Amino acid sequence: MSEIRVPRGALIGAALLVGFTVTTIPLARHYEVGRLETAALVDAPESRMLVFTPLPGGEMLVSDEQGHQLTRLVVEGDTFAMTAVRALAMQQPLRDEASEYHLLVQRDAGGHLELADPETGRAVKLEGFGRASVDAFAGYLDRSHG
């Protein structure tokens, strides 16, 4: 009968990976990393409605409610912003027929930035995705006040 031997380094690595996973999951849940949740979309001290229009080639046009073009999101460079918009758009019941998505960028009473969909009541807390992700949307609020 042959004996299977597993190198000690592989066993230690597997144990460390399991330990890391067991530690990370509760921390991610505690800090709501990447969590979609139903949130109250009213009473936000700062908010701005944005219209995201998908364009050929995967890009998106970003406009304000009055139809003024603010920017164009491109595949190379704006990946997080486009993914966040598409994740919320996927929750909409008529997503296949929609030619644009109306989403709120809002700062709650605690100063945390969210991207929210008034149609579904879903919101993404952007801080869980890092500073660059917050900055990708914070500029839209800052432009509306300055």
Side-chain angles (χ1 to χ4, degrees):
M1 193 176 338
S2 68
E3 186 177 317
I4 299 176
R5 292 174 132 342
V6 179
R8 177 176 268 180
L11 289 174
I12 292 171
L16 288 173
L17 183 60
V18 168
F20 174 76
T21 303
V22 169
T23 304
T24 304
I25 291 171
L27 285 174
R29 287 182 179 165
H30 175 73
Y31 290 106
E32 299 180 350
V33 175
R35 181 176 177 187
L36 276 177
E37 66 179 30
T38 302
L41 300 181
V42 294
D43 301 332
E46 285 183 82
S47 66
R48 184 177 194 191
M49 183 66 75
L50 298 175
V51 180
F52 295 87
T53 307
L55 300 172
E59 296 180 347
M60 282 189 183
L61 182 65
V62 183
S63 307
D64 61 16
E65 283 187 295
Q66 292 76 33
H68 300 107
Q69 180 179 340
L70 301 175
T71 190
R72 179 184 293 244
L73 300 178
V74 295
V75 176
E76 296 293 324
D78 297 316
T79 307
F80 173 79
M82 293 172 76
T83 302
V85 169
R86 288 189 177 118
L88 285 172
M90 290 297 293
Q91 304 294 319
Q92 294 183 351
L94 300 175
R95 66 181 172 270
D96 295 331
E97 292 84 27
S99 61
E100 58 188 31
Y101 306 106
H102 295 253
L103 302 174
L104 270 175
V105 175
Q106 62 186 17
R107 189 170 283 125
D108 65 17
H112 303 287
L113 207 63
E114 296 179 332
L115 182 64
D117 182 354
E119 185 177 329
T120 63
R122 299 285 216 166
V124 176
K125 293 186 181 212
L126 300 173
E127 275 80 8
F129 297 99
R131 187 79 228 155
S133 301
V134 171
D135 292 344
F137 287 98
Y140 297 120
L141 274 182
D142 297 339
R143 277 185 241 163
S144 70
H145 298 297

